[in-house]
């Protein structure tokens, strides 16, 4: 007797991002599509706050397995109650909610202003907390891409740490670098190669390196003013027109807009399209 057992395995790993408004929602949509194009078998989760419109959430559902609302004010747990007395920390620490996705064994958090150029599933072989150096201060990691292990204990501990010690830059990166403070020297395996979080400003701060190694990049991170949705885009020619200082970034920005035009734009409501092109 041959017994064939069909087990449908749902991945215990997830890619996680965050959007608190529809602009970053667009970033998340392109990121989500870039992940699908990379052929990853893992789950896609986007954390959203009440600032994300209903129509954007519906569009996000077409590419993400889970659209999870996180709302510090509505939450009942103790860590969040402590945060209630410090509402100014809300936006900064929304990212910390990613630690509460405890249905997954391991996750990779990606900022909504990142884009995956090539399959990067090997990131799930890394341990918490793995991240790439920050371009401004390389003894700190950049918190736009990091490997972590969901845990309610870690979440509580991070919130308590935030309330007592704070963040030296007012954002999640300053907080996470203080919390995972041995990252700089303890374990080189927790240093992700820069190709997993190529900060876009490197293309002008170290152009020769970008020319030499740029083709190896697996994940690009459009930090600060280089966000693709902030560039001038011509809907007639479908070409992006970045400012002169970002000219070396043109092909990567164009790649973002190509995904936007082919996969996202046809799904958007006319109202949303008006917002994008305004
Ligand atoms: N973010 C958001 N809404 C905001 C600001 C930030 O959803 O108004 C999220 C989004 O995922 C974003 C991340 O937080 O990618 C970090 O912010 P950002 O990427 O703008 O910082 P940068 O990488 O430029 O320092
Ligand atoms: Mn970012």
């Amino acid at each position: 007797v041959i017994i064939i057992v069909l087990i449908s395995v749902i991945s215990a790993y997830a890619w996680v991002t965050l959007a608190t408004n529809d602009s970053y929602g667009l970033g998340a949509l392109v990121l989500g599509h870039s992940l699908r194009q990379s052929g990853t078998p893992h789950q896609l989760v986007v954390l959203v706050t009440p600032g994300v419109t209903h129509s954007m959430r519906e569009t996000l559902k077409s590419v993400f397995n889970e659209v999870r609302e996180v709302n510090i004010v509505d939450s009942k747990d103790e860590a969040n109650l402590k945060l209630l007395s410090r509402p100014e920390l809300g936006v900064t620490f929304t990212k910390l909610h990613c630690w509460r996705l405890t249905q997954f064994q391991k996750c990779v958090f990606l900022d909504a202003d990142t884009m995956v150029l090539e399959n990067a599933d090997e990131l799930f072989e890394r341990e918490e907390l793995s991240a790439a150096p920050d371009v401004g201060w390389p003894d700190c990691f950049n918190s736009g891409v990091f490997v972590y292990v969901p845990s309610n204990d870690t979440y509580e501990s991070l919130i308590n740490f935030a309330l007592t010690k704070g963040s030296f830059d007012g954002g999640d990166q300053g907080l996470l670098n203080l919390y995972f403070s041995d990252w700089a020297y303890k374990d080189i395996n927790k240093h992700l190669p820069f190709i997993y979080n190529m900060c876009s400003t490197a293309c002008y701060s170290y152009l020769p390196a970008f020319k030499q190694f740029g083709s190896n990049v697996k994940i690009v991170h459009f930090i600060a003013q280089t966000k693709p949705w902030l560039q001038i885009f011509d809907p007639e020619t479908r070409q992006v027109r970045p400012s002169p200082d970002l000219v070396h970034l043109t092909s990567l920005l164009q790649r973002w807009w190509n995904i936007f035009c082919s996969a996202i734009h046809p799904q958007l409501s006319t109202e949303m399209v008006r917002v994008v092109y305004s």
Side-chain angles (χ1 to χ4, degrees), residues 9 38 80 95 127 143 160 171 201 205 212 224 227 255 260:
V9 181
S38 79
N80 278 340
K95 205 186 261 190
E127 290 171 18
S143 63
N160 283 322
T201 51
S205 63
Q212 178 73 18
K227 309 260 181 287
R255 233 169 123 160
F260 179 83

Side-chain angles (χ1 to χ4, degrees), residues 213-237:
F213 304 114
S215 61
N216 302 336
V217 170
K218 289 198 167 199
I219 303 175
V220 57
H221 185 183
F222 297 104
I223 63 168
Q225 301 311 310
T226 66
K227 309 260 181 287
W229 59 89
L230 298 180
Q231 308 304 316
I232 294 171
F233 178 77
D234 183 344
E236 297 294 323
T237 61

